[in-house]
Amino acid sequence: MNPVEQIAQYATGHWVSQMVFTFVKHNMGDAFQQQAATATQIAERTGVNEDNCFRLLRALAPLGILKQDDDQFSLTELGEFLTTEHPMSLTDKVLLEAGYEHVLLWTHLSDYMVNSTPAPKAIFELDNYFGLFEKRPKHLDVFAKAMGSYCQDEIAMIESMSSLDLSELDTLVDLGGAYGDLLVSLLQRYPNLEGILFDQAAVIDNALPLDRMTKQAGNFFKQVPENQDGYFLKHILHDWDDALCLKILGNIKRVMKPSSRVFIAEFGPVPETDEPHLSKMFDLHMMLTLNGKERTLTQWHELLSSAGFKIKMIHDSFGPLSVIEACSVDLV
Ligand SMILES: C[S@@+](CC[C@H](N)C(=O)[O-])C[C@H]1O[C@@H](n2cnc3c(N)ncnc32)[C@H](O)[C@@H]1O
């Protein structure tokens, strides 16, 4: 691709994002019913305008999502991921990342560079991103489903970490555990483990009850469950700046056992070189939406030691997620 085409592609990235979003929002992937179909058939099955449908499908074909053969369209292998039936369906992620709230938040990036006001404040007058759940209740459902979907991939990454072993733990709390997908997988894997799912009330109300799992509503800036053998935080600390992370880590340190272990799962650590890594893009998303950040290994060492912890081990996976295992700085 020449420079003109390449920059044009970057500049119109939001066109592509909205094409994919629209395809998913109207359930067009499922409307194929696993066979070729005309735009007329897809329009009839999804209730969209026929001509508009043809033009959208025609534009999606060169992106590799559909194949066009005269008036017949069919899903490619890539397009199959945009159906709800696919075992690794990406529909929930598309609905969150290319949906109204996230797109609107990203329009604030250029102003953020100057004023550092988080986008939820500038656009929705909210103290933080999570206030969106009350202000726009439908967004909570979209967010939680997408988290569940991200979580399925990440559970596979966590299960792939041969060095990560929780079999010595009797109790574990998943702080900000959302609907409990990670905790459920850990309880299945470790039959002697008892777990607490800890999150905001509006979130855990939606989690399904399970043996050996207690739900506890709370605010981790105020207090966290005490005396747990393990404290799991997946995609929690990247939401917050260092001062707020120190509050959460301080609350853990205050009530944990001397031998407790803390497990921090995040994209990263962010490479300190120019190599590509998903964490570099997510870092911008966290900055913009919460004044949060993805961290380099140096930054993790600094943050954790300020809170009285030290890194015991870093568990790498086959994907962008890693788990930093930390313990009290006093533990030998
Ligand atoms: C980025 S999500 C991560 C969810 C889950 N750990 C995962 O990886 O899929 C952050 C979670 O933190 C929760 N949360 C935000 N602020 C909180 C607070 N002050 N106290 C407890 N939970 C909070 C949110 O409700 C949300 O479920």
Side-chain angles (χ1 to χ4, degrees):
M1 206 183 299
N2 69 43
V4 174
E5 287 168 341
Q6 194 164 350
I7 298 295
Q9 197 180 71
Y10 292 163
T12 55
H14 60 294
W15 297 5
V16 175
S17 148
Q18 288 314 297
M19 285 157 63
V20 174
F21 175 80
T22 301
F23 185 81
V24 171
K25 180 79 180 168
H26 289 288
N27 240 321
M28 291 185 179
D30 290 358
F32 277 92
Q33 300 169 355
Q34 294 164 352
Q35 48 193 332
T38 62
T40 309
Q41 287 171 313
I42 299 299
E44 272 167 9
R45 292 172 196 166
T46 58
V48 303
N49 173 282
E50 184 181 332
D51 185 49
N52 298 348
C53 183
F54 171 74
R55 291 160 74 181
L56 177 66
L57 299 185
R58 178 179 63 182
L60 281 166
L63 298 180
I65 289 170
L66 298 169
K67 200 166 146 310
Q68 184 179 1
D69 214 349
D70 292 332
D71 66 342
Q72 297 283 314
F73 292 92
S74 52
L75 289 168
T76 60
E77 211 179 314
L78 184 67
E80 298 281 352
F81 284 83
L82 299 180
T83 64
T84 57
E85 301 109 9
H86 193 282
M88 289 176 68
S89 171
L90 297 174
T91 55
D92 288 329
K93 289 177 192 159
V94 169
L95 292 176
L96 176 70
E97 303 301 0
Y100 174 78
E101 287 81 1
H102 278 205
V103 170
L104 208 54
L105 294 174
W106 268 82
T107 62
H108 179 65
L109 180 61
S110 115
D111 286 347
Y112 183 95
M113 302 309 288
V114 182
N115 61 25
S116 301
T117 305
K121 180 84 185 160
I123 292 174
F124 295 106
E125 292 183 9
L126 289 168
D127 283 344
N128 73 44
Y129 176 89
F130 299 105
L132 270 178
F133 297 170
E134 271 186 35
K135 186 149 182 160
R136 302 181 63 80
K138 282 190 187 152
H139 183 67
L140 168 59
D141 193 45
V142 173
F143 180 86
K145 283 188 178 142
M147 285 303 121
S149 174
Y150 275 113
C151 218
Q152 290 320 308
D153 302 345
E154 293 175 356
I155 286 169
M157 290 180 214
I158 289 172
E159 285 176 350
S160 77
M161 298 172 178
S162 51
S163 54
L164 182 68
D165 181 9
L166 307 188
S167 58
E168 282 175 16
L169 310 187
D170 292 327
T171 56
L172 176 88
V173 57
D174 189 6
L175 291 176
Y179 285 7
D181 303 63
L182 172 68
L183 189 55
V184 168
S185 85
L186 293 175
L187 292 176
Q188 278 165 355
R189 185 153 173 211
Y190 298 101
N192 297 321
L193 190 64
E194 305 255 330
I196 300 176
L197 180 65
F198 184 96
D199 207 301
Q200 308 185 91
V203 179
I204 52 169
D205 281 353
N206 294 308
L208 294 172
L210 188 80
D211 270 0
R212 294 185 283 122
M213 183 177 94
T214 315
K215 294 200 258 179
Q216 191 173 322
N219 177 351
F220 45 49
F221 292 114
K222 293 200 169 138
Q223 64 184 57
V224 301
E226 54 190 38
N227 286 326
Q228 299 295 299
D229 295 330
Y231 290 79
F232 219 109
L233 302 100
K234 180 160 83 64
H235 295 319
I236 300 302
L237 297 181
H238 79 163
D239 288 343
W240 311 106
D241 63 21
D242 287 357
L244 289 170
C245 285
L246 286 174
K247 270 199 171 178
I248 302 174
L249 290 168
N251 285 343
I252 297 173
K253 188 91 200 311
R254 204 160 31 80
V255 299
M256 73 184 209
K257 302 176 183 177
S259 60
S260 298
R261 288 148 69 185
V262 177
F263 303 93
I264 300 162
E266 297 288 6
F267 295 135
V270 183
E272 298 188 56
T273 61
D274 69 351
E275 71 188 84
H277 198 284
L278 183 65
S279 57
K280 294 180 182 178
M281 296 292 278
F282 259 90
D283 178 54
L284 288 182
H285 184 66
M286 304 329 298
M287 172 183 96
L288 182 65
T289 53
L290 280 149
N291 276 348
K293 58 164 93 153
E294 304 294 353
R295 293 175 169 86
T296 62
L297 191 52
T298 310
Q299 289 171 322
W300 279 118
H301 276 294
E302 282 166 7
L303 180 69
L304 287 165
S305 72
S306 306
F309 290 97
K310 64 182 174 191
I311 294 180
K312 216 174 146 206
M313 201 185 292
I314 298 182
H315 307 280
D316 288 321
S317 72
F318 60 81
L321 192 87
S322 68
V323 170
I324 295 178
E325 182 176 343
C327 61
S328 169
V329 76
D330 309 314
L331 197 71
V332 271

